Amino acid sequence: MTPTEYEYLRKFLKENSGLDLSADKQYLIESRLLPLARKAGLAGIGELVQKLQGGARTVITDVVEAMTTNETFFFRDKVPFDHFRDTIMPEIIKARAARRSIRIWCAAGSTGQEPYSLAMCLKEMSAALTGWRIEIIATDLSQEVLEKAKAGIYSQFEVQRGLPIQMLMKYFKQTGETWQVNPELRAMIQHRQLNLLHDFAQLGTFDVIFCRNVLIYFDQDTKINIFNRLARQIEPDGFLVLGAAETVVGLTDTFRPIPERRGLYKPNDPRAAAPKPALAGAAPRLAAMAGR
Ligand SMILES: C[S@@+](CC[C@H](N)C(=O)[O-])C[C@H]1O[C@@H](n2cnc3c(N)ncnc32)[C@H](O)[C@@H]1O
């Protein structure tokens, strides 16, 4: 791969998926894109770049998808799911007692282990949620991972990663070498393709947003832009849950961390934001106008 081809791919990925590759990640591109080029009958990365430049739609999608990292597992990091059960849900159940409905968005849900973990948590607290309307929307950029998430079929290895055996027995059915999530749990989740770089206002507002282990791949400006737009999709008393290596601190004041609840954030009331210097300067004039 020539330096020009590498620069083209870096820019292309940044624009199409947000992936921010440093100058020394040629090996990553090669290990992911060479097999793709070969499968498409192309001589190498150079020809793949030419296809991209020619605007070949399927190649664009394939390159973007091949460069995503889809690593995930059931109840990943455990703590966020403990917080979901012990902090988030009790608060939301209380606050929504009148309307009895909850909306949860699992942004970048990959192959489904994260949204299904949330669905299992909710099932485990079903006594407190009888008669409630619960919506879980799981989105991801990659169509390929969404297909797997929808099917809810996992290998023995995948169900051994993070999933307690009682949950496996209760919510999955074994078919040969694989395990499938039961229909009731599958029906709790709507899977949709969505690129976080694009507008997501159409999804509506949520009580809880899980957006974990995706923003780490983006640069600061992209993270800030996404945080600011997530803030518009979350109820004022809702919760944002980030991955262990992610934070809003130092990037935006649209969210604040919840002390002693690692990974949990609350939206800040935009009206409570510190006055901008221009507004502060206007205060004496306003006071004068008001006769003070
Ligand atoms: C490492 S996985 C994290 C999965 C899950 N949230 C977890 O923490 O286990 C990152 C996911 O983000 C998705 N992704 C990458 N860029 C994206 C984008 N611009 N918009 C939406 N999803 C994206 C990838 O396809 C991948 O499935």
Side-chain angles (χ1 to χ4, degrees):
M1 179 173 35
T2 66
T4 319
E5 285 161 359
Y6 183 62
E7 275 318 303
Y8 178 85
L9 284 166
R10 265 178 78 181
K11 192 161 169 280
F12 169 85
L13 290 163
K14 179 102 180 282
E15 283 170 9
N16 285 277
S17 70
L19 180 63
D20 182 34
L21 289 175
S22 53
D24 59 348
K25 289 284 193 301
Q26 284 88 343
Y27 73 92
L28 186 67
I29 296 240
E30 274 170 359
S31 67
R32 303 254 182 111
L33 297 190
L34 258 182
L36 189 75
R38 302 237 161 88
K39 210 168 131 206
L42 305 171
I45 306 250
E47 279 192 20
L48 198 66
V49 167
Q50 280 169 20
K51 291 268 176 207
L52 291 178
Q53 287 166 335
R57 284 272 12 128
T58 53
V59 179
I60 292 175
T61 309
D62 288 351
V63 167
V64 167
E65 294 214 1
M67 290 306 300
T68 58
T69 298
N70 310 121
E71 163 72 358
T72 187
F73 47 95
F74 290 102
F75 296 97
R76 182 176 189 173
D77 301 339
K78 190 177 173 298
V79 173
F81 298 93
D82 293 343
H83 289 335
F84 181 69
R85 186 192 57 221
D86 301 333
T87 302
I88 299 179
M89 284 309 292
E91 208 177 302
I92 295 285
I93 287 174
K94 218 159 144 194
R96 304 287 179 270
R99 86 174 191 216
R100 290 157 83 85
S101 75
I102 299 179
R103 297 194 82 222
I104 299 168
W105 177 20
C106 191
S110 190
T111 41
Q113 286 89 331
E114 189 173 57
Y116 286 126
S117 300
L118 291 171
M120 284 184 264
C121 288
L122 292 165
K123 274 277 163 211
E124 292 296 301
M125 53 180 82
S126 54
L129 292 168
T130 314
W132 286 58
R133 180 180 144 78
I134 295 173
E135 252 187 285
I136 306 175
I137 299 183
T139 62
D140 201 280
L141 168 74
S142 160
Q143 197 60 52
E144 195 179 327
V145 297
L146 282 174
E147 291 309 322
K148 177 167 166 117
K150 261 184 229 171
I153 299 174
Y154 299 97
S155 67
Q156 187 71 41
F157 173 71
E158 288 167 325
V159 297
Q160 275 165 353
R161 293 183 76 198
L163 186 64
I165 185 83
Q166 321 82 273
M167 295 263 195
L168 176 65
M169 293 304 160
K170 199 163 165 188
Y171 297 112
F172 290 72
K173 183 171 175 273
Q174 188 170 20
T175 331
E177 307 249 294
T178 59
W179 295 81
Q180 184 169 31
V181 179
N182 74 27
E184 207 188 329
L185 213 65
R186 289 211 306 277
M188 288 174 72
I189 302 170
Q190 298 171 49
H191 301 272
R192 294 196 205 161
Q193 203 267 344
L194 184 123
N195 187 339
L196 286 167
L197 300 189
H198 300 164
D199 186 22
F200 43 67
Q202 78 283 1
L203 292 181
T205 49
F206 294 89
D207 303 299
V208 186
I209 300 178
F210 267 61
C211 185
R212 301 196 309 143
N213 305 305
V214 60
L215 300 178
I216 33 166
Y217 300 105
F218 302 162
D219 70 7
Q220 284 223 1
D221 287 348
T222 311
K223 284 181 204 176
I224 293 169
N225 176 281
I226 293 175
F227 282 136
N228 292 346
R229 290 185 295 121
L230 285 175
R232 287 181 225 138
Q233 303 313 128
I234 203 156
E235 295 287 348
D237 60 352
F239 291 86
L240 172 69
V241 185
L242 297 179
E246 296 158 335
T247 182
V248 300
V249 176
L251 294 178
T252 174
D253 55 10
T254 48
F255 290 96
R256 63 178 186 281
I258 303 181
E260 287 159 42
R261 294 286 182 279
R262 191 164 57 82
L264 291 202
Y265 300 82
K266 280 255 175 204
N268 276 322
D269 182 348
R271 288 161 307 177
K276 302 268 182 298
L279 276 178
R285 264 183 289 131
L286 290 175
M289 281 164 68
R292 280 181 276 141

